[in-house]
Amino acid sequence: MITATVFLPLLGAAVAGLLGRFIGDRGAQILTCGLLLISAVLAGLIFQTVALGHQPQTVVIADWITSGTFNVAWTLKVDTLTAVMLIVVTWVSAAVHVYSVGYMSHDTSIARFQSYLSLFTFAMLMLVTSDNLVQMFFGWEGVGVASYLLIGFWYEKPSASAAAIKAFVVNRVGDFGFALGIFGVYFMFGTVGFDAIFAAAPDKAAATVTFFGVEWHAITICCLLLFVGAMGKSAQLGLHTWLPDAMEGPTPVSALIHAATMVTAGVFMVARMSPLFEFSDTALTVVTVVGAATAIFAATVGCVQNDIKRVIAYSTCSQLGYMFFAIGVSAYQAAIFHLMTHAFFKALLFLGAGSVIHAMSDEQDIRRMGGIWKHVKVTWVLMWIGSLALAGIPVFAGYYSKDTILEAAWASHSIAGQGAYWLGCTAAFLTAFYSWRLLLLTFHGRPRADEHVMAHVHESPAVMLIPLLFLALGAVFAGWLGYDLFVGHHNAEFWGKSILVTAAHPSLENAHHVPSWAALLPTVVAVSGIALAYLLYSFAPGIPGALAKAFQPIYLFLLNKWYFDELYDKIFVKPAFKLGKGLWQGGDGALIDGVGPDGVAAGTLAVARKVGRMQSGYLYHYAYAMLIGVAVFVTWYVFNAR
């Protein structure tokens, strides 16, 4: 059952990709959607057996790498952490597959698109079921390749191709850190298998390594390198720049990347490596600081974006920051809980945005929308549900998971944790504000689109709405249903050995005993953010423009995403282009080609041209040359005869 769950998407990807022209677009859609739905059902059965039945399973597929004492088997490891991820990946991916049938109905490469979606899902399933770091790296890179193919799916658009390349290159930076982390772990433990590493970790807790003449805490170095990999995949501050540009891909791609696959890989990896991170307070502090900084950064930028998908993209970046500072205070369970609830409401928001774009004749600028809620009532209600969950309003899924993270940060009683709590509350206020800014500008007020667009506004077909309804159920009930299991008083029984939290880091347990004001504050600020959005965009719509003019430097700073792209362009991109051009023209062109092939060819041509001038075509010239030749030969012979 486990093997089928993982490999059914690969079968769908292979058949749709290789035989798409024979089975047709409809055949590819039926095949890939059908196999994903079967995989989703099997994932539910696995969750019941492994997570609820407390029966972890390991399936050895085959030997993979054997080199001396280094052995890696192709093994599928399913414990509670993996079972949760199987639910998230397969259920959300199945919804995206079905939704794509309607959304991509007018595309000319449907079979290729469905194949890429299934390949993406398979790579993520390989990652979450990995039994060792090398196999995880295989899935890690597979996710990267699939994201490149999907972001650049409309490759005829230069912006899509550029976004795909940007995502691939930025992730290479993180992946280099991840690879170094794997090497470091192997150097320390002599193995890449999770069970062996985790069993030996307590004995290596005080181990040091000397590098550049300085003695370093070995586990801290390994954890920080692994976290660099997580920063790239999960778009944390510094390596986040690829995430908004990934919106160039089709909307179902955005939903899959942001909700269930690529960006959640980093969170899962760090949670999986909790038995190492628990022995490095320094690494945990770094994770907390980076996560909190990412949460507030993305929230501020999201407040001024005008592309409906980019607003939601920055909300993803911010929510990932919450997950990481939860990990930083050792509330791994809360991080995975938020990962699960976020998958439902974020996929709902992205696919809901796709429904809006579909209704508005491919318009994505919320400034050119408004007044459409009466025409798309189902989409409107579903977007409200997703936004309520994202804002953390009570009863909805985000309330249970995000508030638990903030309470755990407060209860950690560390400087970094306390700082993360206050930054998290500020980000919660901004999240609610920009979520309702999006809703009000998109659905309410007067129509700002032209008459032609408004005349064609229509609700999406059932094949697109049914997946949205399914995701809405998760956005409403996932938090309530999962709270006791994931982060309740008996969460240790649910998670078993899949997550390790040492006695020195009881933040999640302490989260149940925080002061009432600390527990209520996130809800208060969320409601305040919603109220401010109504004030600025319903009751006094002239204020935002006036504020933007009055505080233009700040507005431009946020609109330009803190100028990270411009900074990287100046520091890395332009010098790299300049260096590359110099090596091309000066090194390759002038030196290698100039002295080598081009030089030899040019020299030969010059000699040939000079010799060619002697070929005049006149008989007396040739007779004269022959006489000179005879004279030279006779002279040489006479001198040598003596």
Side-chain angles (χ1 to χ4, degrees):
M1 185 163 60
I2 294 173
T3 305
T5 304
V6 174
F7 285 96
L8 282 176
L10 178 62
L11 175 62
V15 175
L18 298 175
L19 303 178
R21 65 176 62 184
F22 301 107
I23 63 176
D25 291 341
R26 183 61 68 191
Q29 290 171 334
I30 293 173
L31 176 69
T32 53
C33 292
L35 292 177
L36 247 298
L37 289 170
I38 294 172
S39 185
V41 171
L42 294 177
L45 297 175
I46 292 171
F47 181 83
Q48 183 178 14
T49 302
V50 174
L52 301 181
H54 309 294
Q55 300 178 37
Q57 299 180 21
T58 300
V59 179
V60 179
I61 304 297
D63 290 333
W64 186 17
I65 301 173
T66 301
S67 178
T69 59
F70 180 72
N71 295 288
V72 176
W74 197 276
T75 305
L76 305 179
K77 174 187 177 69
V78 181
D79 53 14
T80 300
L81 178 59
T82 300
V84 171
M85 292 302 297
L86 288 178
I87 287 286
V88 170
V89 174
T90 58
W91 287 19
V92 173
S93 182
V96 171
H97 272 71
V98 175
Y99 178 92
S100 299
V101 173
Y103 190 86
M104 301 294 289
S105 59
H106 300 296
D107 199 86
T108 57
S109 302
I110 292 175
R112 178 166 63 92
F113 182 75
Q114 295 294 126
S115 175
Y116 289 171
L117 283 182
S118 291
L119 179 64
F120 202 177
T121 305
F122 164 73
M124 189 65 188
L125 291 174
M126 285 304 309
L127 190 157
V128 301
T129 57
S130 56
D131 178 66
N132 57 78
L133 285 167
V134 176
Q135 188 175 325
M136 178 180 281
F137 194 70
F138 169 81
W140 194 271
E141 293 301 302
V143 168
V145 170
S147 69
Y148 170 80
L149 295 173
L150 284 167
I151 294 170
F153 179 77
W154 288 323
Y155 55 84
E156 65 277 2
K157 291 172 54 181
S159 58
S161 295
I165 293 171
K166 185 176 182 179
F168 198 77
V169 171
V170 172
N171 272 277
R172 295 290 70 71
V173 177
D175 293 354
F176 181 67
F178 188 27
L180 290 178
I182 294 173
F183 294 146
V185 170
Y186 181 72
F187 175 78
M188 275 190 67
F189 296 96
T191 181
V192 292
F194 291 141
D195 292 340
I197 293 169
F198 300 158
D203 296 332
K204 298 281 188 177
T208 59
V209 60
T210 303
F211 190 62
F212 288 130
V214 180
E215 195 172 53
W216 306 85
H217 184 228
I219 287 183
T220 297
I221 296 298
C222 291
C223 289
L224 290 176
L225 289 172
L226 293 172
F227 180 58
V228 171
M231 287 178 65
K233 275 289 182 288
S234 295
Q236 293 301 281
L237 189 64
L239 295 178
H240 68 279
T241 54
W242 67 270
L243 192 65
D245 290 357
M247 299 303 98
E248 289 291 339
T251 299
V253 174
S254 304
L256 197 56
I257 288 177
H258 286 249
T261 54
M262 189 164 175
V263 297
T264 63
V267 179
F268 167 80
M269 184 266 284
V270 179
R272 172 61 80 200
M273 303 304 293
S274 61
L276 286 188
F277 278 83
E278 279 298 285
F279 294 104
S280 174
D281 287 340
T282 301
L284 289 174
T285 301
V286 170
V287 174
T288 305
V289 171
V290 171
T294 303
I296 192 66
F297 154 75
T300 60
V301 175
C303 290
V304 297
Q305 296 301 303
N306 298 309
D307 184 306
I308 187 170
K309 288 171 64 177
R310 285 180 181 264
V311 174
I312 302 172
Y314 277 105
S315 80
T316 298
C317 193
S318 183
Q319 298 306 304
L320 289 165
Y322 279 95
M323 298 175 205
F324 275 109
F325 77 67
I327 287 174
V329 298
S330 294
Y332 306 93
Q333 303 93 326
I336 299 300
F337 185 31
H338 194 51
L339 184 155
M340 185 269 289
T341 60
H342 175 263
F344 286 103
F345 63 72
K346 188 51 58 69
L348 174 62
L349 286 171
F350 264 115
L351 297 185
S355 184
V356 171
I357 295 168
H358 181 77
M360 294 293 294
S361 303
D362 296 328
E363 179 60 67
Q364 295 185 202
D365 193 330
I366 58 178
R367 294 171 297 181
R368 299 191 184 120
M369 298 181 185
I372 67 170
W373 73 272
K374 293 181 180 179
H375 305 286
V376 289
K377 291 182 180 179
V378 177
T379 298
W380 171 63
V381 170
L382 294 173
M383 287 290 285
W384 265 78
I385 291 173
S387 298
L388 288 165
L390 173 61
I393 300 303
V395 178
F396 295 89
Y399 164 75
Y400 294 94
S401 56
K402 186 160 68 175
D403 280 32
T404 300
I405 288 175
L406 292 170
E407 291 162 12
W410 175 265
S412 67
H413 303 303
S414 64
I415 296 176
Q418 296 281 307
Y421 173 82
W422 290 110
L423 288 176
C425 287
T426 306
F429 169 79
L430 297 174
T431 299
F433 170 75
Y434 66 66
S435 296
W436 258 256
R437 173 179 177 265
L438 184 151
L439 285 175
L440 294 172
L441 289 177
T442 301
F443 295 102
H444 299 275
R446 61 177 181 81
R448 293 179 297 278
D450 58 48
E451 293 181 2
H452 175 75
V453 172
M454 290 303 299
H456 291 82
V457 174
H458 60 283
E459 187 60 271
S460 298
V463 73
M464 294 172 63
L465 294 179
I466 291 173
L468 292 178
L469 293 170
F470 166 74
L471 294 170
L473 292 175
V476 175
F477 297 112
W480 173 67
L481 291 173
Y483 181 82
D484 287 335
L485 290 174
F486 283 73
V487 295
H489 290 290
H490 302 291
N491 71 83
E493 299 175 10
F494 175 73
W495 292 105
K497 296 181 179 179
S498 63
I499 289 177
L500 173 68
V501 179
T502 61
H505 303 132
S507 59
L508 185 60
E509 181 61 31
N510 293 342
H512 300 290
H513 309 290
V514 298
S516 298
W517 68 264
L520 290 173
L521 185 60
T523 302
V524 172
V525 297
V527 173
S528 301
I530 294 172
L532 181 62
Y534 269 105
L535 173 64
L536 296 182
Y537 293 98
S538 285
F539 304 120
I543 294 179
L547 290 174
K549 290 181 180 179
F551 301 97
Q552 189 175 32
I554 297 175
Y555 173 73
L556 292 176
F557 179 72
L558 299 179
L559 187 65
N560 289 284
K561 303 157 288 188
W562 292 24
Y563 292 105
F564 268 100
D565 283 323
E566 290 77 4
L567 180 65
Y568 287 173
D569 188 61
K570 186 173 183 179
I571 296 176
F572 300 115
V573 179
K574 287 183 177 177
F577 270 101
K578 188 175 182 179
L579 176 62
K581 187 175 181 180
L583 292 174
W584 164 47
Q585 294 181 338
D588 187 54
L591 181 62
I592 298 175
D593 287 343
V595 176
D598 290 349
V600 172
T604 303
L605 184 61
V607 171
R609 284 174 176 170
K610 291 180 179 179
V611 172
R613 293 194 187 102
M614 299 175 63
Q615 307 298 321
S616 65
Y618 294 109
L619 182 61
Y620 60 86
H621 283 174
Y622 297 126
Y624 181 68
M626 291 173 64
L627 289 173
I628 292 176
V630 170
V632 171
F633 175 74
V634 170
T635 302
W636 173 81
Y637 179 77
V638 170
F639 275 100
N640 281 281
R642 294 178 180 177

